[in-house]
Amino acid sequence: MTVLKERVDVLIVGGGIAGAALACALSDTGLRILLIDRSDRPLDTARGDHLQPRTLEILREWGVLDHMVKAGAERRDATRWFDANGNLLLDVPVAALPIAFPYFRYLNHELIGETFLAGARRNEHFQAVRPVGRWTLEPEGDFPRMRIELPTGDFRDVEATVVVGADGVHSQVRKQARMDYELQRYVNPIAVLFGRYRRHNPDNGLRVYLGREHMVSVIPRTGGGCKIGLPLTPAEIREWRTCSTDEISRRVRDSVPDVEFDDLVFGAVYPPVRCHAPKWTQGRVVLIGDACHALHPARSQGMNITIRCIDELVRQLPIDGGSLECRELPAALARFETAVRPGVERELASNHRAGQEMDNPERRSFEPLIEKLQQLQSSKEKLLAYAYGAAGYEQA
């Protein structure tokens, strides 16, 4: 057995979007960065893939936006809500906002992760070690320490200036650092279907339908594909899994009357949860992404909120000459949490209400939501504020 000892500035646990995005955001700093993950498999393609206008600004600053476009990111110019008969309820006017990118872009989830990792590799001091076995974190003392088991049976003993937990809802960093959290489960899992548009989708629009029993989101994917998300009971999921392509298409058509699809297949099931960590930082440990603020996917904001938080974290880190100023780090992490937490808390609350509306566990009517959307559409001031929020800006 060999034990390799090393010292890094930033140890990132988790190789998903959050961990890869942080490594990419730090690529021009020259910091010694180690990213570890227990898996080396591609990211799940059914997860979030839409980048808000505010996120596009951040990606341009990181020098990675053009690479996203080259990887196939397409432009989305519309978000519209409809009732069960296909009548328009709300048309979100993001295209009318005076912002740098008055549109969204979308790219398959795994390609977003790959592009972030490619950006991280611009830093010659970046390492990604995947897969790894078990690891143990000692968060106390002057510097956090971690012993990492490698597939060969050897170990790496790593001392880090800061440890970042980007390892999801069931974060082991959060657990081993003994940081509290609250977890709330929603009633109905989200079923994800994949297919293709039979006819052209104007503006590559994202469409949300308030059907007779389900809220159905029809989400464009690259190359003319689409993803459909809808909450189903566990019994319904068991039934849908056994349906033929034709039967799935018929059932979707009952809820989505004015869009036709080809080759619809049942893709994946996600039990949505709401994770809330009362503290995101503790000593030299910081949590990002789902480890501290997992959201219901009703508004597809989780990835975008995470990228905005990472951008602020990088701005606050005391970096000098390619290294972190150790004495200043705890205060910098506290400033980061103070800067981003209030806005994220508001978005968590708003997203939770949207998640409850989508969940619709008792199959209640969507009439109250329909009325709210119609009122929003009729108020220029409220509609504009909603559009800024949808674009990733808290205030106009």
Side-chain angles (χ1 to χ4, degrees), residues 62-186:
W62 292 359
V64 76
L65 178 57
D66 288 344
H67 297 283
M68 291 287 181
V69 175
K70 289 178 181 177
E74 298 184 27
R75 174 169 166 163
R76 169 163 74 83
D77 288 289
T79 303
R80 298 186 176 98
W81 292 67
F82 301 86
D83 66 15
N85 297 315
N87 299 311
L88 180 66
L89 298 171
L90 178 66
D91 190 350
V92 185
V94 169
L97 299 179
I99 55 180
F101 298 98
Y103 52 83
F104 297 77
R105 284 198 180 272
Y106 57 94
L107 181 64
N108 295 359
H109 192 76
E110 73 279 12
L111 295 178
I112 294 176
E114 290 174 11
T115 305
F116 278 142
L117 285 176
R121 294 188 185 102
R122 297 178 306 204
N123 179 1
E124 63 179 345
H125 302 295
F126 169 73
Q127 304 176 63
V129 180
R130 305 177 300 172
V132 300
R134 296 180 180 179
W135 52 262
T136 54
L137 173 65
E138 297 178 10
E140 308 297 337
D142 293 337
F143 296 98
R145 290 175 173 83
M146 181 178 289
R147 167 159 284 199
I148 304 165
E149 182 181 4
L150 303 177
T152 60
D154 296 323
F155 292 88
R156 295 176 73 157
D157 282 354
V158 181
E159 182 181 80
T161 304
V162 61
V163 173
V164 180
D167 51 342
V169 171
H170 304 291
S171 170
Q172 285 298 306
V173 170
R174 186 185 62 216
K175 179 179 179 180
Q176 294 195 27
R178 296 180 291 279
M179 300 172 72
D180 292 335
Y181 73 103
E182 302 167 0
L183 193 66
Q184 175 180 349
R185 300 185 185 277
Y186 294 86

Side-chain angles (χ1 to χ4, degrees), residues 281-317:
T281 62
Q282 184 167 284
R284 297 179 182 274
V285 176
V286 58
L287 305 175
I288 60 174
D290 285 354
C292 56
H293 53 69
L295 298 86
H296 190 286
R299 291 186 175 174
S300 304
Q301 291 182 320
M303 174 176 62
N304 291 277
I305 290 174
T306 295
I307 290 172
R308 297 203 304 269
C309 289
I310 288 170
D311 187 60
E312 182 62 29
L313 174 61
V314 173
R315 292 177 187 277
Q316 293 290 352
L317 287 178

Side-chain angles (χ1 to χ4, degrees), residues 161-221:
T161 304
V162 61
V163 173
V164 180
D167 51 342
V169 171
H170 304 291
S171 170
Q172 285 298 306
V173 170
R174 186 185 62 216
K175 179 179 179 180
Q176 294 195 27
R178 296 180 291 279
M179 300 172 72
D180 292 335
Y181 73 103
E182 302 167 0
L183 193 66
Q184 175 180 349
R185 300 185 185 277
Y186 294 86
V187 176
N188 291 321
I190 304 294
V192 178
L193 314 176
F194 293 101
R196 299 187 64 82
Y197 292 104
R198 182 168 296 176
R199 296 194 301 268
H200 174 64
N201 175 30
D203 304 317
N204 284 336
L206 186 153
R207 301 172 174 220
V208 182
Y209 291 84
L210 303 181
R212 293 168 182 83
E213 292 187 338
H214 305 107
M215 182 186 297
V216 184
S217 301
V218 183
I219 305 163
R221 304 192 81 224

Side-chain angles (χ1 to χ4, degrees), residues 268-280:
V269 177
Y270 293 99
V273 297
R274 177 175 181 254
C275 178
H276 174 255
K279 288 183 61 179
W280 298 359

Side-chain angles (χ1 to χ4, degrees), residues 7 71 86 184 211 303 312 324-325 336 380:
R7 177 83 170 81
Q184 175 180 349
M303 174 176 62
E312 182 62 29
L324 283 174
E325 291 294 328
F336 154 70
K380 184 176 180 180

